[in-house]
Amino acid sequence: MLGNCESGPHVTGSESENLQCPVSLLSIRIIRAKVTSKDTLSASDCYVTLYLPTASYNKFRTQIVKDSDNPVWDEVFYFRIQTEIKNILKLEVCDADPVTKDDMQFIVHYDLAKIQPGDTVLEIFSLKPENEGSSYLYEYLEVEFKLAVSPGPPEQLISNGVLVARELSILDVKVNKEENDELLKAQKNVVLTVQESYEGTQKTSKDFDSFRFHCIKSWGPVLKVKLQRVSSREENDSDYLFVLPLKMLPVGVQVKVDLLMDGGALELYLQVMGWPQNLDVRLGYELCTGEQDFLHKRKKVVADALKKLFHLKVGLQEHEVPVVAVMATGGGVRAMTALYGHLLALQKLNILDCVSYITTASGSTWTLTNLYQNIDWSKRNLEEIIKVAKSQMLKSKLNVISIQRLKFYHKELVERVEKGHLPSFTALWALVQEAFLHDKPDYCTLSEQRQALNWGQNPLPFYTAINVKDNHISTFDFREWVEFSPYEVGFLKYGAYIRAEDFDSEFFMGKLVKKIPESRLCFLEGIWTNIFSRNLLDGLYWSSSPEEFWERWVKDMTDKSEENSMSDGYVTVYKPPSSGAGKLCEVFNDILTDRPLKGETHNFLKSLDFDKDYLQQKEFIEWKDTILDASPNKLTPVEQSLCLMDIGYFINNSGPPLLKPERNVDVIISLDYDLSQVFKQAQMLAKYCEVQRIPFPKVEPSEEDMKNPKECYVFSDDDNPKAPILVYFPLVNSTFKEYKAPGVKRTPSEMGGGEVDVNKDSSPYTTIHVTYTEENFDKLLNLSTYNILCSKDFIFKAIQSAIQKRQNI
């Protein structure tokens, strides 16, 4: 945690702390370098660049020393830094080239934590060429660092031990409306720039004469004002009329400034606001207030259900109530259909009222988003809800990519961008997918699902995704779990969360800087299930008719379905073909022209810094997911946007939210919809937990179980009381072939109902199928229901073991 700072009221556990920490002045003197050239006919034209993103957005550079193998610069650069955050300086040694791009020869990443206030440190960096084909061998770079405490006031910080929010200066600027109108008539506008701010540069227009800038206070932000011709694209259209450091303005007081110019003066009204310490990003690993309140209510419901289920003479106290969760994998409409059957069976066994959490991934999310439109769905007759879903499964999907539909999608996407959402190919997929599952647009949102949780009447749903890099970095090298609930959206690893209704709004340093209307739920479903969209682009582009599209798309999905390959090394880069000839292509071109095609959303971690000791924090290490974790300048807070993907690109399992220690889950009912290999997803999750040192039972089936799997297995770890009990349900057709219900054998005429093909090579339920026959839908639904009903004793025993464990604590 942050040290050597004054803090507010002491905060225990993993909550955030408010602190006041001094700012330091860092000087960096680039002294000299020693260079040996491979080419005796030429010498280098050397310069050095400096980039310290925790102190400035700008990259600085020395002068060029021409034709020298021993360049001497002796140039000093100054930065105001916060020593309680992780400061990584990037130095680049470059060779200037007047004809081609300058040759970057070597990079130094230097952790400034090595320098303490009052120290003078001389570093001689031993250099090797960054480019193996370089003509130069850089032998060393000599740099001197000095650090002193700044005499100014301390900086206010908020930290959860991993991420740090720094004190902001918030500047409001209002331009006199009448004078601004006159300038606009003269084809001029007022240009306001605060380089140290999130907004950067803003300009007046017919509709905007009031502006707000969010700036990191310790960076010493400066307001610059000039006039510019409306039609001009030149950055230096005129000299600045006004330059003012924000520290010169009194906090909370509006100041009038008259800008003198030809023909009179322009009135500006400036006001610096104090930093509100109530962040809009919640920094903390504890459960949010909404979830805590829900659990308190839900445990009463669960306690009553358990008392009836097990005929307990005395009701359970709150601390004795076990936390039971349902965990579903993905699997397209197969997962959606089978999850309906599983939940129906849990309802019939009166176990559904004992469940506190349900987590889903990819296709299984469709079931929950449908169910949670009913505020008391778990109390209702699920068979009626299933009938509606079934009708969508049976309908033809040909019209979802008709010309008329594509024009509707185009209109929706344009309106979405106008509201402030980033343009995204995933959004197009979301609309196509919505047409698969609904007859008309669904205007529900994720935050509205709270109504189904107000009294603890239903389990709390979680939807899962992973955040990845969009430039040639595999999901096995970088991915970060992101959980979505009706209360919050957040990163498990960073302990950073925002309200569900604020997702995809713009944030800076933990503050909401631009509220964007909450997306319809279908656009979130497009993120959670976009593993199915990767061939949609080519299929649409080259098709001239809906029939041709389906033929191409299904063929591509057959070749590259996730059941055959989980896309190791997958990169989110979508490129439209260079030409096309179909009728669909004409509309499709209009949708995608000059727009980024990756799945982008606004980054709510934008610009948050890292605590100097973030790598030592237990919560961060437990959720360590990437080889880049030790490189804060490459992690998510530095990115302009998030790139959220279906978790099937890594592990097709929705378990990570349930493994959060604060949720203290006792029993996980694992529903696996994978056709490729029984136990595969459970074993992958168990291995992941082993590597991450997360308590979880080993999944070690016998050879016989691998060959002839049964309906249910129980895995536990008696040596680790923190490990949950895993009640595992693979998608198999075992005794259902002969029994239509537990203990009820099929008659000869009913044997056809037990013929459910769940073999990946021949099954009608492979992910490429988005339409089922009525017979196939009913068979899969009945199989899923039966597998739970015939295994009730396994579930009952696991829950009873969890009750006993809690009572013995």
Side-chain angles (χ1 to χ4, degrees), residues 475-513:
T475 57
F476 283 85
D477 291 331
F478 183 92
R479 76 276 168 202
E480 298 170 333
W481 298 101
V482 182
E483 64 178 33
F484 293 74
S485 84
Y487 297 117
E488 289 188 321
V489 178
F491 283 83
L492 293 162
K493 180 170 72 176
Y494 299 120
Y497 300 85
I498 58 172
R499 298 185 309 163
E501 56 265 44
D502 291 336
F503 176 72
D504 211 17
S505 289
E506 295 184 43
F507 287 79
F508 175 70
M509 198 55 73
K511 293 298 294 182
L512 178 64
V513 297

Side-chain angles (χ1 to χ4, degrees), residues 734-806:
S734 181
T735 60
F736 184 67
K737 297 174 183 177
E738 298 181 4
Y739 291 83
K740 64 179 182 180
V744 182
K745 277 201 167 187
R746 296 182 182 277
T747 65
S749 63
E750 295 172 331
M751 295 302 289
E755 296 174 358
V756 187
D757 186 354
V758 289
N759 185 299
K760 70 171 185 176
D761 296 322
S762 56
S763 177
Y765 306 113
T766 54
T767 307
I768 63 173
H769 293 116
V770 293
T771 302
Y772 289 171
T773 65
E774 183 172 8
E775 179 184 12
N776 286 337
F777 182 93
D778 290 341
K779 283 183 176 180
L780 181 57
L781 184 78
N782 294 335
L783 171 67
S784 304
T785 304
Y786 171 86
N787 284 354
I788 292 283
L789 294 177
C790 75
S791 307
K792 71 172 184 179
D793 291 341
F794 291 102
I795 304 175
F796 284 9
K797 185 177 179 181
I799 295 175
Q800 288 173 321
S801 296
I803 293 174
Q804 187 176 12
K805 183 186 76 172
R806 281 187 171 259

